[in-house]
Amino acid sequence: MKTPVLETERLLLRAPQMEDFEPLCELMADEVTTRFIGGVQEPPLAWRGLCGIVGHWQLRGYGFFSVIEKASGQWLGRIGPWYPHGWPQPEIGWSLNRASWGKGYATEAGAACMDHVFDTLGWDSAIHLIHADNLGSQRVAGRLGSVHMGREVQVPGFTIMADVWGQSAGDWKDNRKRVIAGIA
């Protein structure tokens, strides 16, 4: 299966590869990074997660991208569209390693993913499931123009409650120029 590569000024977003496993294990071993996404995972569970993402690409034709910093070639995390079984609707989600926080990478990659889901995949809307205490992800969602949709859901397969944030394709069309200008 041929998967797209999205490119931004500083980032490459590509399908996961075997070389992403070790940095994924580091991300999933960090208590701070994983506190809102189900907690620390040992390498066998991180492996299953990686395989699940690869399988999602195969079955749905899209999935989390590996986020690669162009300047260094370093794997920063994962971001992208996905729609696991039981999810309320298709989502754009993100998890970046702590060393990359505060640099605008999530917003930059998120904007590329918003373009991709609306322009290429033809989605009508996209959500982000964000824990009520995850202020960093709420800020990213807000920078992307997404709003709190006023509801909370149990994240299927996890013991996590999450607020639903999101926007429509039309909202993104209106928000995109402001978001891109803020990134540049």
Side-chain angles (χ1 to χ4, degrees):
M1 170 181 194
K2 184 162 173 52
T3 57
V5 175
L6 308 182
E7 188 169 348
T8 70
E9 183 179 334
R10 301 179 295 163
L11 304 170
L12 288 176
L13 282 66
R14 59 153 172 77
Q17 298 175 2
M18 187 65 194
E19 66 199 46
D20 302 338
F21 179 60
E22 289 303 320
L24 174 64
C25 286
E26 291 173 22
L27 182 147
M28 296 309 295
D30 184 334
E31 289 180 24
V32 174
T33 302
T34 61
R35 72 179 163 217
F36 300 122
I37 59 170
V40 169
Q41 291 183 356
E42 297 292 324
L45 286 178
W47 173 257
R48 288 182 201 156
L50 178 63
C51 291
I53 291 168
V54 171
H56 192 284
W57 272 101
Q58 188 65 35
L59 295 172
R60 295 220 190 259
Y62 60 86
F64 274 127
F65 292 96
S66 285
V67 180
I68 310 300
E69 183 182 47
K70 284 183 185 178
S72 67
Q74 181 181 3
W75 185 91
L76 303 178
R78 58 192 183 186
I79 189 168
W82 75 324
Y83 190 22
H85 176 76
W87 245 236
Q89 73 182 71
E91 175 187 26
I92 294 175
W94 49 82
S95 304
L96 298 180
N97 65 37
R98 200 166 7 147
S100 64
W101 292 1
K103 298 178 181 177
Y105 291 140
T107 304
E108 186 175 331
C113 288
M114 297 292 271
D115 282 343
H116 180 66
V117 302
F118 294 133
D119 297 343
T120 304
L121 299 180
W123 290 8
D124 294 327
S125 63
I127 64 166
H128 322 288
L129 298 182
I130 303 173
H131 190 281
D133 296 330
N134 190 343
L135 302 179
S137 280
Q138 291 171 21
R139 284 190 293 274
V140 171
R143 280 189 215 102
L144 291 171
S146 293
V147 296
H148 188 285
M149 307 292 282
R151 61 188 175 131
E152 183 180 48
V153 297
Q154 168 80 40
V155 179
F158 296 90
T159 58
I160 301 169
M161 296 299 291
D163 293 333
V164 179
W165 288 67
Q167 64 183 293
S168 69
D171 291 337
W172 176 245
K173 185 178 179 182
D174 293 339
N175 290 328
R176 186 182 188 284
K177 289 178 186 168
R178 177 192 52 76
V179 172
I180 299 305
I183 293 170

